[in-house]
Amino acid sequence: MAIRVLPVSAEQSELLDAIIALGDRYTKYLGLLTPPAYRKHAEDDGLLVALDGEEVVGYALFGLPKRSLHVRLAHLCVAEEHRGKGRGARRRRRSAVPAGPHSRKGR
């Protein structure tokens, strides 16, 4: 099954709970982030989830730029059992996001 990457809203409480549970599995590496912090990122459009079917297999917490051209990545988490399968590399190659003026493609 293909991995889907979707934005998460603060109203999606079951999905948020699954994302928080995944993050809690890796606090040793990511540090502790409280549930309200995940919800705040979702409210600010700064939370993406990776789903394999209905299973949460990863997420990204990020901050959108206000004055800068750079997105601040706070957490990038992929469940250990889903790592190393090449799915992320394939997804990046198929990305529909156009290259910005500061990307290597734009030079």
Side-chain angles (χ1 to χ4, degrees):
M1 186 172 285
I3 299 293
R4 296 177 297 140
V5 177
L6 306 169
V8 180
S9 72
E11 291 79 33
Q12 294 173 290
S13 59
E14 281 186 34
L15 190 53
L16 274 168
D17 290 342
I19 292 166
I20 292 166
L22 178 61
D24 286 349
R25 285 175 48 191
Y26 299 100
T27 56
K28 178 179 176 181
Y29 306 103
L30 296 170
L32 180 63
L33 196 63
T34 63
Y38 285 91
R39 285 179 177 73
K40 177 71 173 138
H41 275 84
E43 289 169 5
D44 295 341
D45 298 323
L47 178 56
L48 296 174
V49 66
L51 297 169
D52 187 357
E54 297 302 313
E55 179 186 6
V56 172
V57 298
Y59 69 86
L61 286 168
F62 58 93
L64 296 172
K66 291 184 177 133
R67 295 188 183 114
S68 147
L69 296 174
H70 304 285
V71 173
R72 181 187 50 80
L73 183 61
H75 270 201
L76 179 60
C77 182
V78 176
E80 189 169 3
E81 59 274 17
H82 290 274
R83 296 178 194 165
K85 297 182 178 183
R87 291 173 160 178
R90 283 194 300 271
R91 181 141 193 99
R92 282 191 308 272
R93 285 193 297 271
R94 290 193 321 250
S95 176
V97 178
H102 297 287
S103 73
R104 292 184 188 262
K105 283 183 177 179
R107 291 183 185 172

